[in-house]
Amino acid sequence: MNPSTCPMCREPFEPNGFLKVIIEDGEAGSPTGTEGVAMAFLQKLVLSWNLDLSERERIELVMEVEQWLNNGNTHELLEKTLELIRAQNQLSHDLEQLKAVQLTIKEEAGAVEQSLLSSLKEIQL
């Protein structure tokens, strides 16, 4: 049998060589205090894009994080994450505006095309 590779450390191992696998729950070594709160917010922010959260729920989460940061707490990674979220929101807004402009242009182009076709028919008669 070929050795498998650990998905975490990429070291080879023999699967039949295990007697017991112990998985930590993550609570024992979890950060506490400000770092713990910041990491919990980061986890919520990341997961919010994978879950079926409404736009309102995402906005509330971002506002909660901003309020926490405005209360004198600092966390560089959390602040950078909020900057990225704001930039993504701005890009989404810009995209919606561009789609609206594109639709208007298509409608106007259709009207011009119809006018030109009508004029062409008149000339041909």
Side-chain angles (χ1 to χ4, degrees), residues 18 29 35 38-39 47-48 50-51 57 67 71 73-74 85 93-94 119:
F18 284 102
E35 184 67 18
M39 295 309 287
L47 291 176
S48 72
N50 292 330
L51 301 175
E57 290 171 315
Q67 181 180 7
N71 285 337
N73 298 299
T74 59
I85 289 170
H93 177 72
D94 293 348
S119 296

Side-chain angles (χ1 to χ4, degrees), residues 59-104:
I59 289 170
E60 288 173 359
L61 176 58
V62 168
M63 288 173 57
E64 184 181 356
V65 172
E66 287 174 338
Q67 181 180 7
W68 183 79
L69 287 170
N70 289 335
N71 285 337
N73 298 299
T74 59
H75 193 271
E76 186 177 355
L77 185 56
L78 193 54
E79 291 167 3
K80 293 289 184 187
T81 302
L82 284 180
E83 286 178 29
L84 290 172
I85 289 170
R86 288 185 199 107
Q88 189 269 337
N89 288 342
Q90 183 62 47
L91 288 172
S92 293
H93 177 72
D94 293 348
L95 179 61
E96 291 302 316
Q97 286 183 328
L98 287 172
K99 286 180 179 179
V101 168
Q102 181 186 24
L103 182 60
T104 302

